[in-house]
Amino acid sequence: MLLSMPVDYLPIAMMFVVAIGFVLGTMVATHYLGPKRKSVKKLDTFECGIEVQGNARIPFSIKYFLVAILFVLFDVEVIFMYPWAVNFKSLGMYGFVEMLIFMSILLIGYFYIRKKGGFKWE
Amino acid sequence: MELFDLLIKLALVVAVFTIALVIAMYSTYAERKVAAFLQDRLGPNRAGPYGILQPLADGGKMFMKEEIIPSKADTFLFILGPCIAMMTACMTGVVIPWGNTLIIDGKAYIMQVTDINVGILFAFAVVSIGVYGIMIGGWASNNKYSLLGAIRASSQMISYELAMGFSIIALIMTTGSLSLRDIVEQQSGFHWNFLYQPLGCLLFIICAFAETNRAPFDLPECETELVGGYHTEYSSMKLGFYLFAEYINMFISAAIISALFFGGYNFPFLDKIDAPHNVITLIGTAIFFAKIIFFIFFFMWVRWTLPRFRYDQLMHLGWYVLLPISILNVLVTGAVTLFRNGQFHF
């Protein structure tokens, strides 16, 4: 089964419709089923019972941003490797050495970030 | 495709959807029973005999609760978050091969919603979208705990996705196919992939724990620091969707682990049994579900055994340990495969 027909993707669309129907139906049902006794205090942001200080639209640690960028870099490499992995046996030694070169460039980058302390969380 | 085929597909879609929901519901019950068993308690035992109706009672309660949308939250995104989490959890089940073929009127029907040639990629693509559900919900709540939980969740999930991707690549190098059905069929008898990819299997299971936000990687909803994590502000069925999505994801992860590494619907001495084809198929499906239930139990066992990681330990494990090991695993797998095929020469 190497070739997929567009019709093979039709059941995925069916599942999508079933799932979206369930999610929307449940959302609407709970909206009408539950009691509605709102008050200002109840709709306030939860902060362990003390007065709310400012709001949550605040800057957060740059570390998370760095992780996201690194993820994009490495994940693109992983995506490149999928077609190579599927055809690995037919490509043989030639393909393997080519991928070794590609991966060593990737690993140089990895060790650079590691030395720079990009993964340090203190 | 004829109308009858379409109807069969539709029936399969509904069946997979229902089974996923029921198993997720009863996983909540099983989780509490397993926790009780491991901690020498009784667990839920009031609703029905042995508390067997507890999930239904919980579901009913979730439906009848007041729906609270905090006044400072972004209403649209606040509702969208749990919807995305639930949708993505339901969508992954389509590519999993639940069993071999059933022969009806001389025509074979596969027990799988659809067999596309990029099965694993589809599953991972959909799982990755699940991060948006958590991220959007946590941000839209406009609560500091939710924000922290959401950021933690997303950076944890993307960190472990890399090691997961590499462990999958090592597996694909040996199977040469991305279709989950092909991979399962290659493991007929007892040629299960964990025997050929032990390290890859271990890496994949660890990453599956991190991807589903299960203990010991449950920092996004670490109640000692972050109240409820990304779902602090949620109530009613929106909270239910987040919890449900987690259990469905656990079920799907258990199914993918069993399909990729533990033979799927294959079992030893399959060809020794003298029975009609359809009966063997159904036995295979039962075996597959037994494997899935074992892995769900394993998820729970680990949760109630291991303490939670600290955040820097979590990131250290992901980037310093799992990522290099998984890359090494790809290289070793490549070298060994070439050596065994006699292609290892310059």
Side-chain angles (χ1 to χ4, degrees):
Chain A
M1 169 88 193
L2 276 170
L3 281 173
S4 280
M5 294 294 171
V7 75
D8 288 332
Y9 292 86
L10 194 63
I12 296 179
M14 283 183 197
M15 184 58 120
F16 188 75
V17 171
V18 170
I20 215 164
F22 172 76
V23 166
L24 285 182
T26 313
M27 276 297 166
V28 171
T30 51
H31 183 73
Y32 288 107
L33 278 174
K36 289 180 186 63
R37 287 186 289 272
K38 317 264 188 227
S39 69
V40 179
K41 277 283 171 211
K42 197 191 258 179
L43 297 182
D44 219 356
T45 308
F46 176 78
E47 217 158 284
C48 299
I50 57 165
E51 286 289 310
V52 179
Q53 302 287 319
N55 70 6
R57 305 283 181 258
I58 42 172
F60 48 83
S61 174
I62 190 78
K63 283 282 178 192
Y64 291 105
F65 181 69
L66 189 63
V67 167
I69 292 288
L70 292 176
F71 164 72
V72 173
L73 286 178
F74 281 96
D75 210 41
V76 170
E77 320 289 345
V78 174
I79 293 298
F80 277 140
M81 289 174 77
Y82 273 101
W84 167 76
V86 172
N87 298 311
F88 175 69
K89 281 176 187 159
S90 55
L91 290 173
M93 195 66 198
Y94 183 66
F96 186 58
V97 172
E98 275 191 325
M99 192 43 82
L100 277 184
I101 295 165
F102 179 73
M103 269 171 118
S104 44
I105 298 170
L106 175 71
L107 282 174
I108 291 169
Y110 172 77
F111 282 108
Y112 174 75
I113 302 160
R114 199 169 161 157
K115 275 273 178 242
K116 274 280 184 186
F119 304 134
K120 279 226 164 24
W121 289 76
E122 231 70 65
Chain B
M1 214 184 266
E2 291 162 34
L3 189 64
F4 185 63
D5 294 6
L6 270 179
L7 283 177
I8 287 221
K9 288 289 182 204
L10 190 64
L12 267 172
V13 164
V14 174
V16 167
F17 186 75
T18 318
I19 289 171
L21 287 187
V22 169
I23 290 200
M25 264 172 89
Y26 272 89
S27 297
T28 62
Y29 169 75
E31 172 110 77
R32 290 153 82 180
K33 274 292 182 195
V34 169
F37 171 68
L38 291 175
Q39 297 176 338
D40 204 12
R41 297 185 280 116
L42 282 175
N45 63 352
R46 292 303 160 106
Y50 302 101
I52 200 89
L53 299 176
Q54 189 67 38
L56 297 176
D58 284 342
K61 188 189 78 174
M62 286 282 191
F63 266 99
M64 304 309 287
K65 282 287 171 187
E66 181 172 3
E67 185 186 42
I68 293 172
I69 299 175
S71 50
K72 283 186 185 158
D74 184 321
T75 313
F76 175 67
L77 292 180
F78 190 79
I79 297 171
L80 185 68
C83 294
I84 292 181
M86 190 68 190
M87 289 284 303
T88 54
C90 296
M91 290 292 292
T92 25
V94 289
V95 289
I96 293 168
W98 304 103
N100 205 340
T101 53
L102 276 180
I103 295 174
I104 305 167
D105 281 345
K107 204 170 168 209
Y109 293 95
I110 51 172
M111 285 184 73
Q112 180 180 15
V113 175
T114 182
D115 180 22
I116 49 175
N117 58 0
V118 288
I120 310 182
L121 271 185
F122 175 83
F124 285 105
V126 174
V127 167
S128 310
I129 298 173
V131 182
Y132 285 99
I134 292 172
M135 193 68 213
I136 289 174
W139 186 84
S141 303
N142 202 349
N143 177 322
K144 284 150 205 149
Y145 301 113
S146 305
L147 180 73
L148 285 174
I151 296 168
R152 278 186 181 186
S154 44
S155 75
Q156 166 187 332
M157 283 162 96
I158 60 180
S159 298
Y160 281 77
E161 216 165 280
L162 292 175
M164 198 178 216
F166 278 115
S167 66
I168 288 294
I169 281 173
L171 181 72
I172 293 165
M173 283 160 70
T174 56
T175 59
S177 173
L178 286 168
S179 154
L180 278 162
R181 173 161 291 268
D182 281 357
I183 292 174
V184 170
E185 275 171 5
Q186 286 172 10
Q187 306 178 60
S188 65
F190 200 62
H191 298 288
W192 295 0
N193 277 328
F194 82 98
L195 298 170
Y196 304 101
Q197 281 286 325
L199 192 58
C201 175
L202 186 66
L203 287 168
F204 189 86
I205 293 177
I206 294 173
C207 294
F209 275 85
E211 288 285 305
T212 47
N213 292 330
R214 293 284 303 180
F217 301 102
D218 60 344
L219 284 111
E221 42 195 301
C222 171
E223 65 272 12
T224 45
E225 300 167 18
L226 293 179
V227 194
Y230 57 86
H231 52 57
T232 303
E233 291 287 356
Y234 280 92
S235 65
S236 173
M237 206 56 203
K238 292 200 220 40
L239 174 68
F241 272 179
Y242 272 128
L243 303 181
F244 234 53
E246 184 187 323
Y247 282 98
I248 297 180
N249 281 333
M250 195 166 88
F251 166 58
I252 298 290
S253 306
I256 290 181
I257 290 170
S258 346
L260 288 182
F261 293 100
F262 292 90
Y265 50 79
N266 289 304
F267 55 96
F269 314 113
L270 173 71
D271 41 355
K272 300 279 190 300
I273 299 173
D274 185 32
H277 179 79
N278 284 355
V279 174
I280 292 185
T281 301
L282 291 177
I283 295 174
T285 304
I287 297 266
F288 186 46
F289 272 94
K291 286 173 188 170
I292 293 173
I293 287 167
F294 171 75
F295 278 105
I296 292 178
F297 171 71
F298 183 68
F299 269 85
M300 290 166 183
W301 188 6
V302 168
R303 172 169 177 181
W304 297 100
T305 307
L306 295 180
R308 186 182 286 137
F309 282 115
R310 222 167 50 218
Y311 202 71
D312 61 314
Q313 293 170 331
L314 174 100
M315 285 314 214
H316 187 277
L317 179 69
W319 288 94
Y320 275 93
V321 183
L322 294 184
L323 185 60
I325 290 180
S326 58
I327 293 177
L328 196 70
N329 187 36
V330 170
L331 296 180
V332 171
T333 308
V336 170
T337 311
L338 286 179
F339 191 73
R340 281 181 52 182
N341 291 355
Q343 291 172 305
F344 199 81
H345 52 74
F346 288 94

